[in-house]
Amino acid sequence: MAKVSIVMGSKSDLPVMQEASKILDYFGIANDVSIMSAHRTPKRAAEFSESAVDNGTKVIIAGAGGA
């Protein structure tokens, strides 16, 4: 798993959040981008947060609500 996880609440946030991924890529920092909602997919969001450290995530960049 990537060292930086970029998460957002809906795909409408994706254009903005992808820019963070591009910057991390430029600097050679492993990252992944996920869409998950604490409201629409609470189980997925909980599983992600519970396992993030064990999966190697060091930093989480999160955005929602038209970030």
Side-chain angles (χ1 to χ4, degrees):
M1 175 162 273
K3 292 188 180 218
V4 177
S5 291
I6 301 169
V7 298
M8 66 212 76
S10 70
K11 67 181 177 180
S12 65
D13 299 311
L14 190 56
V16 172
M17 301 303 274
Q18 279 182 321
E19 294 302 313
S21 179
K22 288 179 188 176
I23 291 168
L24 293 168
D25 289 342
Y26 176 81
F27 287 105
I29 300 169
N31 66 90
D32 58 31
V33 177
S34 300
I35 299 170
M36 63 187 80
S37 168
H39 302 289
R40 290 184 297 279
T41 57
K43 184 176 179 182
R44 181 171 184 227
E47 289 170 352
F48 166 80
S49 63
E50 291 168 357
S51 64
V53 172
D54 291 339
N55 289 332
T57 299
K58 302 294 183 192
V59 175
I60 298 173
I61 299 172

